[in-house]
Amino acid sequence: MNLRSLASGIGSLSDDTRRELYEYVVGRGEPVTGEEAATATGLRPHKANFHLDRLVEEGLLEVEYRRLTGRTGPGAGRPSKLYRRSEEEFSLSLPPRRYDTVGDILAASVTRASAGEPLDAALQESAREQGIEVGRAATREEQATFEDLTTALAGQGYEPRDDDDVVELHNCPFDALADKHRALVCGLNESYVQGVADGMGCGGADARLEPGDGRCCVRVHRRD
C-alpha cells in the first residue's frame, strides 16, 4: 500500500461520523448491516450507508452479502449487505520505518540457531535471504540495473540518492532499533541491502557498512 492510500485511509477516521461508525463496526466483532449501524449511531440510514461505503473505498471496512434469515431458494429474499473490519493493516510512519522486517529476520535467525547454526551466521544469512525475497519481487528481469535497485530501495523506505558510483541511503527504516543496538542492526542492514541487490540480479552492487551522520549506516557502491 502506497503513502497516498495509507494517508487517505487513516485520514478518513478524522471525520467524527466515520470514526463513530468504524468504532461501532469494530466493536461488534461480527458483520453488521447499515441499518444496525445507523440505529446505533443515530444517523439516517442513507447517510450511514454513504459513510460506510466510503470506509470500504478507503480500505478500512469490507463488505459481504448474506441472507440473515437462514432461508435459501425462491422467496428467501435478497442477501443483506454487511460491513466488517478490513483485514488490511494500516501503519503510517514518517520517515518510513520497517520494524516488522527486523522482527521477521530475528525470528528466522532464532529458528536457524535453534537448529544448531551459529547465531552470527544465522542473523546475517536470514537478513540476506529476506532481502533476496524483496529483490525478486521487485523485478521480473534476470539482471536489474543499478537504477532498478535504487527504485527498489526507495520502496523499502531508504530514501536513496545516487551520487556517481555510490548510492547513499538517507533514511534508516530501522532507526530506533539501530540507536539501541547499532552493531546488530547495522550488520543486518548491510546483509539485507545486499540481499535485495542479489535477489534482483544486480551484480554491480556492493553494499558496505560505512556509517555517517544523518543517514543509514550502509552505502551501495558500483562494482567495476
Side-chain angles (χ1 to χ4, degrees):
M1 180 172 289
N2 60 34
L3 180 60
R4 175 175 292 183
S5 298
L6 282 169
S8 179
I10 295 174
S12 289
L13 297 180
S14 64
D15 181 277
D16 291 341
T17 300
R18 290 177 193 167
R19 185 173 63 255
E20 186 178 5
L21 286 166
Y22 178 80
E23 290 175 343
Y24 171 73
V25 173
V26 171
R28 280 289 300 273
E30 61 182 5
V32 303
T33 66
E35 184 177 357
E36 288 175 314
T39 300
T41 56
L43 296 171
R44 293 182 181 275
H46 73 276
K47 185 175 182 179
N49 289 333
F50 170 78
H51 288 294
L52 287 168
D53 288 338
R54 287 298 302 272
L55 289 169
V56 172
E57 291 175 11
E58 301 295 356
L60 292 165
L61 296 180
E62 293 179 351
V63 168
E64 66 177 73
Y65 293 89
R66 176 163 35 97
R67 288 189 176 92
L68 300 180
T69 61
R71 298 169 56 193
T72 60
R78 298 176 59 184
S80 297
K81 185 177 183 179
L82 302 172
Y83 298 88
R84 65 173 185 269
R85 177 161 58 181
S86 170
E87 295 183 0
E88 185 72 48
E89 293 185 4
F90 286 73
S91 179
L92 180 61
S93 176
L94 297 174
R97 304 294 184 223
R98 302 187 69 87
Y99 300 116
D100 56 330
T101 299
V102 176
D104 288 341
I105 292 171
L106 293 177
S109 301
V110 170
T111 300
R112 297 172 75 124
S114 298
E117 187 172 340
L119 181 57
D120 286 347
L123 287 165
Q124 301 309 315
E125 193 57 28
S126 295
R128 181 174 176 274
E129 289 182 357
Q130 184 83 358
I132 287 174
E133 290 184 13
V134 171
R136 286 175 176 168
T139 182
R140 296 182 179 179
E141 303 294 332
E142 291 186 4
Q143 290 186 330
T145 66
F146 206 70
E147 288 70 25
D148 293 332
L149 174 61
T150 301
T151 300
L153 292 175
Q156 294 300 302
Y158 282 98
E159 298 180 0
R161 298 178 192 173
D162 194 347
D163 183 13
D164 294 329
D165 290 336
V166 177
V167 172
E168 290 197 348
L169 309 177
H170 284 258
N171 179 58
C172 174
F174 320 126
D175 184 66
L177 284 174
D179 281 344
K180 296 179 180 179
H181 310 284
R182 188 163 300 279
L184 170 65
V185 175
C186 290
L188 297 180
N189 216 345
E190 180 184 16
S191 297
Y192 178 75
V193 171
Q194 186 63 57
V196 174
D198 294 344
M200 297 182 72
C202 185
D206 181 19
R208 302 179 191 174
L209 194 58
E210 298 176 347
D213 293 335
R215 61 171 174 81
C216 177
C217 58
V218 177
R219 302 171 81 210
V220 184
H221 292 255
R222 291 180 188 265
R223 291 189 180 127
D224 293 337

